[in-house]
Amino acid sequence: MQELNFPRFSFRFKNSENKTAIFDEIRKKFVVLTPEEWVRQHTVKFLTETKKASKSFLNIEKAIQQNGLTKRYDIVVFQRDGGIKLLVECKAPEVKITQAVFDQIARYNLELKADYLMVTNGLQHYFCQMDFNQKTYRFLTDLPELKTL
């Protein structure tokens, strides 16, 4: 798999039926290693090892209902009170981060109301902090540590 713009992390792999799988520490199972999954697993390690988010507060690939349609978010980091601190949208490295990707995460956040947003294709990362009172957001150069939030 392609090298990504994250610190180096260690992963567990296995091969089955001519497919490589990577162990997902949050879902506690091996999942097929696709380019998007490679980015997702790096992002999980980034959030837990670098940003100190508790694994028990992470959720991966869950369905949400939006305008009668079922959509799936990539990663959320919950707060202790059940609210969502961070919503993450992961794309494969070859997928350009465009306005359409930001529109996608913004639509999801209409339902989820996360305080922070992260969009990544593993090579480029964008971070935003939401201000729901002012109905605005601001781009950040990095995320704060998540253990204290």
Side-chain angles (χ1 to χ4, degrees), residues 10-145:
S10 60
F11 298 96
R12 289 176 40 205
F13 301 96
K14 77 172 186 178
N15 288 310
S16 177
E17 299 175 15
N18 294 326
K19 291 187 180 174
T20 301
I22 187 168
F23 187 75
D24 183 315
E25 295 177 355
I26 306 306
R27 293 179 275 187
K28 299 192 181 347
K29 65 179 183 177
F30 281 93
V31 293
V32 174
L33 182 58
T34 63
E36 183 175 322
E37 191 63 46
W38 184 236
V39 172
R40 188 177 299 112
Q41 292 306 314
H42 274 79
T43 304
V44 166
K45 293 278 193 176
F46 171 72
L47 296 174
T48 57
E49 295 182 17
T50 305
K51 294 302 174 181
K52 310 299 183 200
S54 170
K55 289 179 186 175
S56 62
F57 285 83
L58 263 71
N59 203 318
I60 296 179
E61 284 203 306
K62 294 293 180 186
I64 58 172
Q65 292 296 315
Q66 193 169 49
N67 298 327
L69 300 173
T70 300
K71 303 289 184 177
R72 295 183 87 75
Y73 62 71
D74 281 305
I75 303 169
V76 296
V77 178
F78 288 98
Q79 302 176 94
R80 293 191 189 283
D81 67 4
I84 296 176
K85 182 53 64 182
L86 172 68
L87 171 62
V88 182
E89 180 61 31
C90 298
K91 297 295 183 189
E94 66 272 9
V95 176
K96 289 188 182 342
I97 304 296
T98 63
Q99 185 62 49
V101 177
F102 286 104
D103 292 347
Q104 178 185 6
I105 197 170
R107 281 191 306 274
Y108 292 175
N109 207 37
L110 289 172
E111 302 290 326
L112 299 173
K113 307 269 192 278
D115 295 331
Y116 293 90
L117 304 177
M118 176 180 178
V119 173
T120 183
N121 64 3
L123 304 174
Q124 296 177 294
H125 318 299
Y126 296 93
F127 312 103
C128 295
Q129 182 176 17
M130 304 302 299
D131 183 338
F132 292 104
N133 293 330
Q134 299 295 319
K135 297 182 180 174
T136 62
Y137 60 90
R138 67 183 173 103
F139 280 94
L140 306 172
T141 56
D142 197 3
L143 286 175
E145 263 198 13

